[in-house]
Amino acid sequence: MNTTEVLIAGFGGQGILFAGKFLAYAALLQNRNVSWLPSYGPEMRGGTANCSIILSDAQVGSPIVSRPDILIAMNLPSLDKYEQEAKPGASIFVDSSLISRKVERTDVNVYYVPATQLSTDNGLETLANMILLGHVIEKTGVIPEEMIRPALEKVVSARHAWLLEKNIEALSLGKNYKE
Amino acid sequence: MADKILMKGNEALAEAAIMAGCRHYFGYPITPQTEVAAYMAKRMPKIGGVFLQAESEIAAINMVIGAAAAGKRAMTSSSSPGISLKSEGISYMAGCDLPALIVNVQRGGPGLGGIQPSQSDYFQATCGGGHGDFHLLVLAPSSVQEMADLVAKGFDLAEKYRMPCMLLADGTMGQMMEPVSLTETKPEAHDKSWALTGTKGERRPNIINSLALQPQELEKWNEDRFARYAVVQENEQMAECYMMDDAEYCVVAFGIAARVSQNAVDAARAKGIKVGMIRPITLWPFPEKVLKAAADKCKAFLSVELNMGQMIKDVKLAIDCKKPVGLCCRTGGMIPSPEEVLAAIEKMQKEGN
Amino acid sequence: MIVFDKPKALTDAPLHYCPGCTHGIIHRLVAEAIDSLGIAGDTIGVASVGCSVFTYNYFNVDMVQAAHGRAPAVATGVKRADPSKIVFTYQGDGDLASIGMAETVHSAARGENITVIFVNNAIYGMTGGQMAPTSLPGQVTQTSPYGRDTNTVGFPVKVCELLSTLDGAGYIERVAVNNVKNVKAAKKAIEKAFRNQVEGKGFSLIEVVSTCPTNWGKTPQGALEWLEENMLPYYPLGVYKDKFAKEEAK
């Protein structure tokens, strides 16, 4: 029985919830159990946002991720808040364009991706989340690659179909990023 | 079985209501249940249904009364402070024997409180919530699938017993997404000859009313209603038992608290503690039968709640205080961690031996 | 031969109102309107809280009894559930203009296709004569024993004037039932308020300036005179809004 607990955290507006929904759908399409739980608050934009996603072969108990296997930190307050919560052996992904400090823990795998910088350099503004996820998928195999397109088709609305290829581009940029 | 899709609990319950034949929704915006209103606003006009944003929570519940009096499946949804406002209407609805669905996606209180998940409206829901002698059917989902499934169940029970039904959820249940499969349900056929449909000059007027100035008459109404409640208590208790077959200790938890407790029960079992969980699905009627049975086998009970300890009283009553009942709780929008619940289970075991 | 009959839309239940109270006349006018439009079989009434709480015993139509002030919201629910029904509320001043002001204003603002019969007798009758939102400046009541002091409790609410500012309100008229001429005008107005609904036009409200001899401390005749001398100057009769007439003129 395999369970992966993912916590994505950052500012509202960085596509935290979208990235989480994408992962959740990818797992659902494999007929796995999944839960997706957002933090919710009065700030619609710019406030802190985080999202708990649990992908599991067993029934999901608590949907709240307090000890993540995978932590994706998209701003400094999120890294400060959650670094110590990650399980020993967890993988921590850091948007190094926005977070200048290094992870202090030594019992975790750390990946630094200048995702925000890469997004602006490559005309993929607002897709730093997906660049990071591309790297997450490459390094952890949290979802199989063949699920990427079908899952995106579920979460990118028909109205924004043109964004589908942009998302694929961002994911593959993250996948191929070499530190 | 329809394909599973990912939906928020709030959206799933809204779609489930539509699939259960509800075409009349009246509501007012409040976090964390606003998705219900937004969903209904989008869907109802496309299927010939009614979505109306009322001027207040009070107006919304009274619109539900009107539509229910006309014999329609009607509903409203809100969160804790809004339910307090609606409680006048809920009392009238109970006094008029009108069926309808009221959703409470609970947040922390009292007062304006917070917007994070809570179960602190347990007393309010299970004791009726408004003035007078009455009960609501209270259903407590603990997954998005159940958010949907209990909607049709709630409408059917409400119409069967002519009682308002409350779906008592919380912020996590409303906001989380899980795979859900939704299927059209056919409303059970229950007599609605009492409904206001116009006399057509062919029958005496139907009157829907909760006023009885003669105390003898009002007492009779209340006694008749409680006779009906007794049938509900006998026939409609629902609970899920998890690892209870050989359990020596019993956790009691509903909604999100049950989800967290399930992790703790698994962890305790891994440590060799024979613990199980009873998860009430109906909070009123409270599942006393299954608890009474457990009281004969288990050494101690642990009530896990997102409040200062409300359901624990029903647990004690259900088992006639035969065994010790401990409390593991967080309040104000906080959720106990599985580790906290595990620690409480271990403490219960130590004290029980 | 002229036969004086009870309207069919009234039951045979004896009214509980005090001697000289004008509720009885207003009930009759509402019932006559229902009869003359032939809509009793499709009419649903909403009773309110106040002296008219028992209207569900008097009108020979399906009725629901609403909480204090909530009748327009209940009526909204009934009407939206089945727009083919003719839905009316029957409310007093405390119910409509105090505790239920939000429901009144918003049902009018929505242009809800219902008929509201508003009985204004400037006092809370059922609870024994307390100050109402429509009690006149200086009026002595149980809770304004030295007369309504506008410095401390403010001024009466003029419902027709207030509602007529709303785009959603359709037909707003104030009538009285203190003499034959006014009763005839009231009958016409009430019937029109129901006809508007039958024709699907929208929100109609008729304010009926009424008496409360018991709580005013007057004889029935004295109450009618007090109404004429004190209420009508403050609450002038007439049509305050008729959006539908304007629409027809176009």
Side-chain angles (χ1 to χ4, degrees):
Chain A
M1 286 295 184
N2 183 14
T3 298
T4 309
E5 304 198 6
V6 184
L7 185 66
I8 313 178
F11 293 121
Q14 281 183 311
I16 306 281
L17 303 186
F18 177 87
K21 196 170 169 185
F22 163 71
L23 280 185
Y25 249 115
L28 171 60
L29 291 174
Q30 295 174 271
N31 281 320
R32 301 183 75 196
N33 293 298
V34 58
S35 69
W36 172 100
L37 177 70
S39 63
Y40 55 92
E43 316 96 336
M44 291 295 286
R45 297 283 181 273
T48 56
N50 71 64
C51 184
S52 291
I53 309 104
I54 299 177
L55 307 82
S56 181
D57 298 321
Q59 195 192 342
V60 177
S62 170
I64 301 148
V65 172
S66 46
R67 308 278 287 152
D69 298 298
I70 297 174
L71 168 64
I72 304 171
M74 293 190 70
N75 66 8
L76 180 61
S78 297
L79 184 62
D80 290 347
K81 191 168 172 189
Y82 297 116
E83 178 181 341
Q84 295 307 322
E85 312 298 326
K87 277 186 199 144
S91 299
I92 301 183
F93 294 81
V94 174
D95 185 340
S96 55
S97 330
L98 302 177
I99 305 170
S100 49
R101 84 162 170 89
K102 298 291 176 194
V103 170
E104 288 158 7
R105 294 262 301 261
T106 53
D107 60 343
V108 293
N109 306 304
V110 187
Y111 305 91
Y112 299 97
V113 182
T116 300
Q117 189 63 47
L118 286 171
S119 73
T120 47
D121 289 352
N122 291 278
L124 297 166
E125 287 83 359
T126 74
L127 288 175
N129 57 340
M130 301 310 271
I131 293 173
L132 268 169
L133 265 194
H135 206 62
V136 171
I137 295 165
E138 171 69 12
K139 295 296 178 188
T140 66
V142 61
I143 58 162
E145 252 183 82
E146 64 267 24
M147 284 298 154
I148 289 180
R149 184 171 284 271
L152 273 178
E153 282 169 359
K154 289 284 186 187
V155 290
V156 177
S157 65
R159 196 156 46 98
H160 297 117
W162 58 278
L163 274 175
L164 195 87
E165 296 310 323
K166 288 278 182 193
N167 274 280
I168 300 269
E169 208 182 318
L171 284 161
S172 93
L173 192 65
K175 170 182 147 90
N176 297 320
Y177 175 74
K178 302 275 183 289
E179 281 183 54
Chain B
M1 201 63 142
D3 270 353
K4 285 196 170 180
I5 48 169
L6 272 182
M7 276 182 119
K8 279 191 167 192
N10 283 337
E11 294 165 345
L13 83 86
E15 183 59 32
I18 289 168
M19 286 189 161
C22 173
R23 291 293 179 276
H24 297 84
Y25 173 91
F26 305 92
Y28 186 86
I30 182 171
T31 304
Q33 68 76 48
T34 306
E35 289 88 354
V36 184
Y39 194 92
M40 291 302 198
K42 245 186 184 171
R43 288 277 281 130
M44 282 299 195
K46 295 195 173 160
I47 53 171
V50 172
F51 163 82
L52 187 56
Q53 181 171 325
E55 64 269 28
S56 67
E57 298 279 8
I58 299 168
I61 191 75
N62 281 281
M63 290 171 186
V64 171
I65 289 177
K72 306 292 186 186
R73 281 203 158 175
M75 70 177 286
T76 185
S77 61
S78 188
S79 179
S80 309
I83 297 294
S84 289
L85 285 164
K86 288 186 198 294
S87 52
E88 173 197 62
I90 293 171
S91 167
Y92 275 71
M93 209 179 268
C96 291
D97 299 316
L98 287 174
L101 185 70
I102 302 141
V103 177
N104 182 0
V105 183
Q106 294 169 95
R107 51 187 261 185
L112 201 49
I115 57 170
Q116 297 304 318
S118 172
Q119 298 179 328
S120 52
D121 303 345
Y122 179 92
F123 281 152
Q124 187 191 42
T126 57
C127 299
H131 63 282
D133 270 330
F134 73 94
H135 284 291
L136 306 175
L137 294 150
V138 184
L139 308 180
S142 80
S143 66
V144 172
Q145 185 66 53
E146 242 180 18
M147 286 285 267
D149 294 345
L150 291 179
V151 166
K153 177 89 187 165
F155 272 121
D156 283 336
L157 286 175
E159 288 170 5
K160 182 175 181 184
Y161 295 105
R162 288 189 65 182
M163 291 172 70
C165 174
M166 179 173 283
L167 191 73
L168 191 69
D170 65 73
T172 41
M173 286 301 134
Q175 294 295 324
M176 76 190 281
M177 281 202 288
E178 287 186 312
V180 57
S181 89
L182 296 166
T183 39
E184 200 104 6
T185 50
K186 208 173 164 316
E188 288 175 5
H190 294 292
D191 169 51
K192 284 198 174 179
S193 59
W194 46 264
L196 307 185
T197 52
T199 65
K200 303 283 176 200
E202 291 160 2
R203 59 160 169 78
R204 292 175 57 79
N206 282 343
I207 294 170
I208 288 176
N209 172 37
S210 60
L211 177 70
L213 288 183
Q214 296 303 324
Q216 295 87 344
E217 189 185 10
L218 186 54
E219 181 181 54
K220 177 81 169 54
W221 286 5
N222 285 339
E223 286 172 350
D224 288 353
R225 196 168 291 122
F226 271 72
R228 192 159 14 111
Y229 291 166
V231 176
V232 177
Q233 285 177 300
E234 182 56 33
N235 296 338
E236 306 296 349
Q237 296 180 16
M238 282 166 58
E240 184 191 34
C241 292
Y242 182 72
M243 301 210 169
M244 281 301 292
D245 286 348
D246 62 344
E248 295 174 358
Y249 300 93
C250 177
V251 171
V252 187
F254 67 96
I256 182 65
R259 294 287 293 264
V260 174
S261 298
Q262 188 187 320
N263 289 24
V265 167
D266 290 345
R269 283 273 175 179
K271 289 185 164 191
I273 304 173
K274 286 189 174 174
V275 60
M277 176 169 70
I278 294 175
R279 176 174 73 85
I281 299 172
T282 52
L283 298 179
W284 200 96
F286 195 68
E288 293 169 353
K289 292 180 190 178
V290 61
L291 276 157
K292 264 193 214 324
D296 294 333
K297 300 191 314 180
C298 296
K299 296 178 186 168
F301 289 75
L302 179 71
S303 187
V304 183
E305 308 179 53
L306 273 63
N307 54 50
M308 292 302 288
Q310 299 190 14
M311 181 180 66
I312 186 173
K313 298 201 166 139
D314 281 336
V315 175
K316 286 180 179 174
L317 279 173
I319 64 168
D320 290 327
C321 294
K322 273 186 199 158
K323 298 288 164 67
V325 184
L327 176 66
C328 174
C329 67
R330 297 295 298 270
T331 178
M334 298 299 292
I335 300 175
S337 66
E339 291 78 16
E340 284 174 74
V341 180
L342 176 61
I345 292 171
E346 288 176 319
K347 183 166 171 268
M348 165 169 66
Q349 186 208 20
K350 246 177 239 155
E351 287 166 3
N353 284 332
Chain C
M1 189 174 73
I2 296 168
V3 180
F4 185 82
D5 264 343
K6 197 169 189 173
K8 291 192 176 60
L10 283 181
T11 65
D12 291 331
L15 303 186
H16 70 283
Y17 300 108
C18 304
C21 168
T22 43
H23 264 304
I25 299 172
I26 303 162
H27 278 33
R28 184 181 174 95
L29 297 181
V30 169
E32 284 177 353
I34 291 170
D35 282 357
S36 103
L37 293 165
I39 54 174
D42 284 309
T43 295
I44 293 169
V46 184
S48 62
V49 173
C51 283
S52 58
V53 70
F54 290 118
T55 46
Y56 57 79
N57 286 330
Y58 306 141
F59 290 112
N60 203 6
V61 300
D62 279 3
M63 296 276 305
V64 52
Q65 204 284 315
H68 202 17
R70 317 299 174 217
V74 173
T76 297
V78 174
K79 188 71 183 182
R80 298 279 179 136
D82 186 353
S84 73
K85 296 292 174 288
I86 303 304
V87 184
F88 75 98
T89 72
Y90 188 106
Q91 305 170 259
D93 41 59
D95 192 271
L96 180 139
S98 195
I99 199 166
M101 189 53 123
E103 285 79 1
T104 304
V105 167
H106 284 277
S107 56
R110 285 193 301 269
E112 211 62 61
N113 188 25
I114 58 173
T115 302
V116 175
I117 305 300
F118 166 40
V119 179
N120 177 7
N121 60 8
I123 206 153
Y124 280 82
M126 186 182 231
T127 45
Q130 296 79 26
M131 186 182 72
T134 52
S135 291
L136 296 175
Q139 187 177 336
V140 172
T141 73
Q142 201 182 62
T143 51
S144 57
Y146 310 110
R148 180 177 188 145
D149 179 358
T150 54
N151 288 319
T152 56
V153 297
F155 292 85
V157 178
K158 296 179 175 176
V159 169
C160 288
E161 288 83 339
L162 188 144
L163 293 183
S164 64
T165 64
L166 298 173
D167 291 343
Y171 171 52
I172 309 286
E173 181 168 356
R174 183 181 288 129
V175 299
V177 285
N178 62 318
N179 59 40
V180 174
K181 176 172 154 274
N182 284 346
V183 169
K184 277 185 160 173
K187 177 181 162 77
K188 221 174 116 196
I190 288 170
E191 192 172 316
K192 185 171 172 184
F194 275 93
R195 194 181 306 112
N196 285 341
Q197 186 180 169
V198 172
E199 293 171 359
K201 286 179 172 169
F203 187 86
S204 297
L205 177 143
I206 305 300
E207 173 175 344
V208 187
V209 180
S210 182
T211 61
C212 183
T214 301
N215 289 302
W216 289 358
K218 311 267 183 232
T219 62
Q221 183 59 34
L224 293 174
E225 285 159 12
W226 193 86
L227 182 157
E228 177 93 39
E229 285 161 20
N230 297 281
M231 286 191 71
L232 295 188
Y234 205 91
Y235 298 111
L237 305 184
V239 176
Y240 283 80
K241 182 157 189 194
D242 192 350
K243 185 167 83 170
F244 312 135
K246 272 188 214 151
E247 280 166 5
E248 279 157 18
K250 278 180 202 162

